[in-house]
Amino acid sequence: MADPEVQIEEEEVAEDTPTVDVDMAGAENDEGNEADAGAGEEGGYGGEREDIKDAIAPARITFIDYLKSPIVYLSVGLGDEHTLLTAHEALLVQSPWFEERIGQASGDISPLQIDLSDERLDAVGCFLQYLYTGEYFPRKLEVSMGLETDPSMPAIDDEGEQLLKHARVYTLADKLGVAELKTLAHSKIHRINSTAKGEIAYARFVYANTPREDATIRKPVAAFWAHRSHVLRHEAEAEFRKMCLEYPQFGFDVLSLVLDQKEKGSHKEHPGDRSARKRQRMSTTG
């Protein structure tokens, strides 16, 4: 059965229904705002996705990854001391010095060879051992605050060879920009039992191979001799004199520290006396 047809007269609508003006511009704005809101929501989700991507940790580099990197040849020493060593590029570039040189030669030469003719084999070997293992021989013994026994070295470092070993690693690490290795080598220097002759050999190397502003191993050398020179110089008087003549800065640094100590001691004994010596006045009588 069909629904009855209902007819509405136009005049009745016009009379009975109030006229409502619709702001079309407002409607368009509302639609735009809704669209913007939707776009903002979509962008928000997109931003969250970017944050999630950023939060994902990079793939862990394994030791095998290092070993898969290209081989680099290191030409160490001169003459009879010349040796050709090899190391993996991915480990070498942890040093800013090596990173720069490998980057400059990338693609030019294969296999790549880097010149280290002015370096000693033992120091470079310690550097490479540190890159691969995080330590170098002899390792530190935390229980005894000493170092592993080195069968090739005497228990007491009379010639300074043990001190020089770690000092050379220190200066090489400084050149290569490996701060952690510098710290490690410095910590081992203080674990060596040495004699006055050994300390002089060490001091000579330090003053020959470190800048004047070095405060890590150079200044402690001067302080060591300033505090103990009155005893140690008699054990190695000839070597001490030669060191002072060869490196006048060493003698000046030691003397300055000795005089500073005496000055401080004098001020403690006579706190009110600022003048150590007064010039005698000449009196004229006529």
Side-chain angles (χ1 to χ4, degrees):
M1 181 175 177
D3 293 332
E5 183 178 355
V6 179
Q7 294 181 353
I8 302 176
E9 297 294 336
E10 295 181 359
E11 293 180 357
E12 293 178 2
V13 173
E15 292 178 358
D16 299 337
T17 305
T19 303
V20 179
D21 294 329
V22 178
D23 189 355
M24 298 303 295
E28 292 176 358
N29 290 339
D30 291 341
E31 291 176 1
N33 292 337
E34 291 177 1
D36 292 341
E41 291 177 359
E42 183 179 355
Y45 290 127
E48 290 180 5
R49 285 195 292 269
E50 291 298 328
D51 293 341
I52 293 173
K53 290 180 181 179
D54 294 339
I56 297 176
R60 185 176 68 89
I61 300 176
T62 66
F63 193 69
I64 295 297
D65 294 326
Y66 288 120
L67 301 183
K68 289 179 180 179
S69 64
I71 292 293
V72 178
Y73 288 87
L74 308 177
S75 179
V76 184
L78 292 171
D80 296 338
E81 301 295 327
H82 176 262
T83 305
L84 196 62
L85 302 176
T86 60
H88 291 88
E89 180 180 302
L91 287 168
L92 288 175
V93 295
Q94 296 182 30
S95 155
W97 189 90
F98 275 107
E99 183 180 25
E100 179 181 357
R101 277 147 186 81
I102 291 174
Q104 291 173 350
S106 180
D108 296 339
I109 304 174
S110 183
L112 177 62
Q113 181 170 312
I114 297 179
D115 178 47
L116 292 173
S117 57
D118 57 342
E119 300 297 340
R120 292 177 66 97
L121 178 61
D122 184 56
V124 176
C126 291
F127 163 70
L128 293 178
Q129 185 179 6
Y130 172 79
L131 285 185
Y132 281 89
T133 68
E135 248 284 15
Y136 71 89
F137 182 80
R139 294 174 299 180
K140 294 195 297 184
L141 301 175
E142 300 301 336
V143 176
S144 62
M145 296 302 293
L147 298 174
E148 288 179 320
T149 301
D150 186 350
S152 65
M153 295 288 185
I156 304 298
D157 190 16
D158 187 53
E159 301 297 328
E161 284 303 314
Q162 297 181 57
L163 290 169
L164 291 176
K165 174 188 179 77
H166 303 299
R168 291 181 183 119
V169 174
Y170 175 91
T171 54
L172 177 60
D174 183 56
K175 170 183 174 178
L176 301 180
V178 186
E180 295 82 1
L181 180 57
K182 279 181 62 177
T183 301
L184 179 61
H186 176 239
S187 68
K188 293 186 178 185
I189 290 172
H190 297 288
R191 301 184 178 216
I192 302 296
N193 293 322
S194 61
T195 64
K197 290 183 179 179
E199 292 291 343
I200 284 291
Y202 169 66
R204 180 176 289 108
F205 175 87
V206 168
Y207 269 78
N209 295 276
T210 60
R212 181 178 297 184
E213 62 272 12
D214 183 285
T216 305
I217 63 174
R218 187 183 180 106
K219 289 185 178 180
V221 164
F224 175 85
W225 282 97
H227 287 85
R228 298 172 177 81
S229 59
H230 61 289
V231 176
L232 295 180
R233 69 184 182 88
H234 296 299
E235 300 178 16
E237 189 168 351
E239 291 83 354
F240 183 79
R241 184 187 302 111
K242 184 178 179 180
M243 176 68 187
C244 291
L245 294 174
E246 188 175 354
Y247 295 97
Q249 187 64 45
F250 169 75
F252 176 79
D253 292 344
V254 172
L255 180 60
S256 296
L257 291 171
V258 170
L259 294 178
D260 287 345
Q261 293 172 15
K262 288 187 175 294
E263 185 178 1
K264 290 178 181 178
S266 176
H267 288 169
K268 289 181 180 179
E269 294 177 4
H270 308 284
D273 186 7
R274 288 302 193 191
S275 172
R277 179 185 300 176
K278 291 185 178 180
R279 190 181 188 87
Q280 184 177 4
R281 296 177 180 236
M282 299 296 295
S283 62
T284 58
T285 57

